[in-house]
Amino acid sequence: MKLIETDAFLKKLELREFPQPEIVQLRYPLLLCHGFGALVSVIKPSPMHETCMFLRQHGVMAFAPNIVPYAKIETRSQQWSQKIVQLCDRYGFEKMNIVAHSMSGLDMRYAISRSDVYQRVASLTTVATPHRGTSLAELVLNTPEKVREKLVEAFDWFGNSIYPKSESDAVGAVRQLTREYVRTTFNPENPDRENITYFSYSASAGKGTNQPLNALYRYQNQHLYENEGPNDSFVSEKSAVWGKHLGTVPLSHLEQIKLGLSKDRVQIFEKFWYRVAGNLSDNGF
């Protein structure tokens, strides 16, 4: 009996030939773009920092810079373009793969459609981007005027404090996230480039799914569900589909950037982001 127990113990200690993380080989480096807001920046270097560090563990040359958190698409897209040019010039990159979370997917679609930066973009992958807007933006804009003014004032003050390089415009950004604006103005005026490959992932949790959701986001999750169907508490599944849709992620909007993610769901987060990089590798990017 003791011999059997010893054998079982030694079996657990058996050395793996390659215990290091699997390497994902990409042709082009990866730029991770963050969405609207900056509250998360209080507790981490940048909203996409942990995602970036996870991908670097797998051999991916990834970058996750900060830009103005509360501003209109035109302003944010210009800053992302500057980051791309800066990184390409600094490291000699020919092009970069762009992976954009939430609003930054609209920023990058604008940049690719409207400027020469598309020449330095190999692919665009959007994650939970409101490609058809979000009724959550309309909910915010329909709050009592005095309440809305105080919220906007607070967001702009905070944004200007932590990113003084560019003036914040929270209400202008929110107006550009409404369903009417994105569908009737943004999409028609910003067509896709024929020579750029577009991938997208949607996400859902809470109402209509079997995925848990932080109680703080149940009201907006319910509101979105009633107006648009299953969602991740910020963006609906349907709104997030663009280009080649690669599936729906079982994570809430903030869990996707590892905020409020419980230990038992870390594996879902890691599996998803490994999948994002793997898809680019499989497609020669």
Side-chain angles (χ1 to χ4, degrees):
M1 183 65 178
K2 289 184 178 180
L3 182 60
I4 294 176
E5 291 177 352
T6 300
D7 288 344
F9 175 73
L10 291 175
K11 185 67 176 177
K12 292 181 180 179
L13 296 179
E14 186 175 301
L15 295 176
R16 293 169 54 199
E17 189 171 0
F18 292 101
Q20 298 80 25
E22 289 290 327
I23 294 295
V24 180
Q25 294 181 301
L26 297 182
R27 181 179 178 184
Y28 302 106
L30 195 155
L31 177 69
L32 294 162
C33 302
H34 67 78
F36 175 86
L39 293 176
V40 66
S41 298
V42 174
I43 58 176
K44 58 174 70 178
S46 73
M48 303 295 287
H49 180 73
E50 287 172 305
T51 303
C52 183
M53 293 300 100
F54 170 74
L55 292 172
R56 286 191 177 191
Q57 290 176 9
H58 289 279
V60 176
M61 191 178 294
F63 302 85
N66 288 306
I67 66 160
V68 59
Y70 303 103
K72 295 173 70 173
I73 292 170
E74 294 86 346
T75 300
R76 288 168 52 91
S77 66
Q78 184 179 32
Q79 293 191 8
W80 288 127
S81 296
Q82 291 171 351
K83 297 299 181 188
I84 293 171
V85 173
Q86 179 185 355
L87 288 168
C88 286
D89 289 348
R90 180 177 180 180
Y91 295 104
F93 302 147
E94 178 189 355
K95 295 182 178 181
M96 298 191 76
N97 290 305
I98 312 300
V99 177
H101 182 246
S102 195
M103 180 182 179
S104 66
L106 299 182
D107 301 337
M108 283 309 309
R109 281 180 52 205
Y110 183 97
I112 292 170
S113 182
R114 298 286 190 100
S115 73
D116 290 339
V117 79
Y118 79 92
Q119 297 174 0
R120 302 202 185 195
V121 174
S123 68
L124 173 63
T125 301
T126 60
V127 178
T129 289
H131 292 292
R132 291 160 190 80
T134 171
S135 56
L136 187 60
E138 296 148 29
L139 179 66
V140 172
L141 292 174
N142 288 329
T143 56
E145 186 175 354
K146 290 185 178 180
V147 175
R148 186 174 67 250
E149 288 178 353
K150 291 296 182 182
L151 285 173
V152 170
E153 183 179 334
F155 283 137
D156 284 346
W157 169 82
F158 183 65
N160 290 332
S161 297
I162 66 171
Y163 201 87
K165 296 179 181 180
S166 183
E167 187 173 355
S168 293
D169 183 5
V171 71
V174 173
R175 287 192 180 117
Q176 291 185 324
L177 296 174
T178 61
R179 288 175 292 176
E180 181 179 4
Y181 177 81
V182 178
R183 294 175 181 179
T184 64
T185 301
F186 182 85
N187 286 343
E189 293 181 357
N190 296 281
D192 291 348
R193 290 273 184 180
E194 292 183 2
N195 57 336
I196 300 293
T197 301
Y198 296 77
F199 299 109
S200 67
Y201 293 91
S202 54
S204 61
K207 184 72 173 179
T209 76
N210 60 0
Q211 300 301 318
L213 182 70
N214 189 307
L216 290 173
Y217 307 110
R218 285 180 183 169
Y219 175 74
Q220 61 196 62
N221 179 245
Q222 176 71 29
H223 174 83
L224 279 162
Y225 185 82
E226 292 174 354
N227 286 274
E228 302 179 59
N231 63 88
D232 66 0
S233 76
F234 281 79
V235 178
S236 71
E237 287 184 17
K238 293 180 180 179
S239 185
V241 175
W242 196 262
K244 185 176 182 180
H245 183 238
L246 300 175
T248 300
V249 187
L251 292 169
S252 68
H253 203 73
L254 296 182
E255 284 181 318
Q256 295 156 28
I257 57 173
K258 208 175 184 181
L259 185 65
L261 187 67
S262 59
K263 290 183 179 179
D264 62 326
R265 292 174 64 75
V266 170
Q267 187 175 13
I268 302 175
F269 167 88
E270 294 181 344
K271 183 178 180 181
F272 166 63
W273 285 106
Y274 185 82
R275 176 184 170 192
V276 170
N279 172 68
L280 294 172
S281 178
D282 292 344
N283 283 278
F285 293 108

